[in-house]
Amino acid sequence: MTAGWIGTGKVRAREDGQAVEIVIEGLTTQAKYYKPLVYEFMRKEWASRPSWGDHVVEIRMEHVGEPPWMDLDNLAKALLDSIKGYLFHDDSQVARLLVERHEGERERITIRSYPRKA
């Protein structure tokens, strides 16, 4: 991966301008698995303070072969709960949420969060 990434395990993150990108390697069908995984990463590794105002959050699940049997709305809720308090103060600040599933070259989830322009 490119320079500027924090983390060496299943979860990595970086700041890209005003955006924060988080990558979670691997997939499971249990959305609840991701909440403590990402939360612990943010608690131990992330140094930036949460910001106020409206935010955009984009979540992209990449899978190889058949898509995993997982509800994307449950995945989104678990991930939003895990980054709340670290990227923004409350998930009510999420003014735009995009959650999508795509076939990819590897199994992973990417979260991208940035302030929404007025």
Side-chain angles (χ1 to χ4, degrees):
M1 294 199 158
T2 57
W5 288 93
I6 298 168
T8 57
K10 284 185 169 276
V11 182
R12 293 187 181 98
R14 69 176 174 176
E15 290 187 81
D16 182 16
Q18 288 198 317
V20 173
E21 186 175 10
I22 301 168
V23 176
I24 307 157
E25 297 293 340
L27 290 179
T28 177
T29 58
Q30 299 296 314
K32 64 184 177 185
Y33 165 82
Y34 296 105
K35 183 177 178 178
L37 179 71
V38 176
Y39 174 82
E40 282 302 308
F41 169 82
M42 298 303 286
R43 187 178 71 79
K44 292 178 180 175
E45 305 277 345
W46 196 249
S48 297
R49 308 282 295 171
S51 61
W52 294 103
D54 286 346
H55 282 70
V56 175
V57 177
E58 300 167 351
I59 300 170
R60 180 184 174 102
M61 175 205 294
E62 292 181 46
H63 61 88
V64 176
E66 290 294 315
W69 193 258
M70 182 189 334
D71 293 339
L72 290 180
D73 60 323
N74 293 336
L75 176 65
K77 182 64 176 154
L79 293 173
L80 288 175
D81 285 348
S82 68
I83 61 176
K84 169 179 64 178
Y86 296 99
L87 303 185
F88 40 81
H89 293 276
D90 189 85
D91 52 7
S92 66
Q93 292 175 252
V94 178
R96 181 172 182 264
L97 175 62
L98 174 65
V99 186
E100 54 188 356
R101 179 180 65 216
H102 291 277
E103 190 162 350
E105 295 179 12
R106 60 172 28 155
E107 294 188 334
R108 69 177 159 203
I109 296 170
T110 304
I111 307 165
R112 189 167 170 82
S113 177
Y114 51 92
R116 184 175 186 183
K117 303 292 186 233

